[in-house]
Amino acid sequence: QLQASGGGLVQAGGSLRLSCAISESIFSISAMAWYRQAPGKTRDLVAAVDRGGSSSYAGSVKGRFTISRDSANYTLYLQMNSLQPEDTAVYYCTFQPFRTIATMTRSNGYWGQGTLVTVSS
């Protein structure tokens, strides 16, 4: 079962690193991303990386969050710095075979169980 981990409670300005591991066979053919969903809101793309290593970020996290892949351990990471209360949400990882960043969707591919990030002011 795919599981995101690394969430928790942190004060504003703090940092967390999320991780999500999957099998090599899926990892090697997938575009990967982190989405988040705050209470009462839609699940939105936070950051994505394609098989070639190109990445894309939502404007609200650009410069604060970094998405990365570990090809040796088939793990996706999201380093989150300078966290703000508005970053509070459940964060989900997704691996979407044969997709590009532009064609990733909220319903395609493999999704992890979310991990809750709570940022206090």
Side-chain angles (χ1 to χ4, degrees):
Q1 185 174 2
L2 193 55
Q3 177 69 55
S5 62
L9 174 63
V10 63
Q11 289 187 327
S15 298
L16 287 172
R17 188 176 79 156
L18 308 182
S19 63
C20 187
I22 200 167
S23 67
E24 186 276 336
S25 61
I26 300 298
F27 186 94
S28 64
I29 61 174
S30 295
M32 309 168 197
W34 291 94
Y35 283 69
R36 68 185 180 187
Q37 187 167 19
K41 296 190 176 181
T42 59
R43 187 176 298 189
D44 295 328
L45 181 66
V46 175
V49 60
D50 66 16
R51 285 177 283 168
S54 296
S55 58
S56 178
Y57 295 89
S60 60
V61 307
K62 197 171 294 185
R64 300 187 297 123
F65 291 10
T66 303
I67 191 170
S68 62
R69 306 176 306 158
D70 181 347
S71 299
N73 294 298
Y74 320 123
T75 301
L76 178 68
Y77 296 102
L78 185 68
Q79 178 66 43
M80 305 186 294
N81 298 330
S82 302
L83 282 161
Q84 300 301 315
E86 52 266 35
D87 296 317
T88 294
V90 177
Y91 285 70
Y92 299 89
C93 59
T94 180
F95 297 81
Q96 302 195 9
F98 305 117
R99 295 275 174 162
T100 65
I101 291 176
T103 62
M104 296 184 80
T105 72
R106 294 185 180 91
S107 58
N108 190 62
Y110 300 85
W111 288 80
Q113 299 294 317
T115 186
L116 176 63
V117 172
T118 304
V119 185
S120 63
S121 57

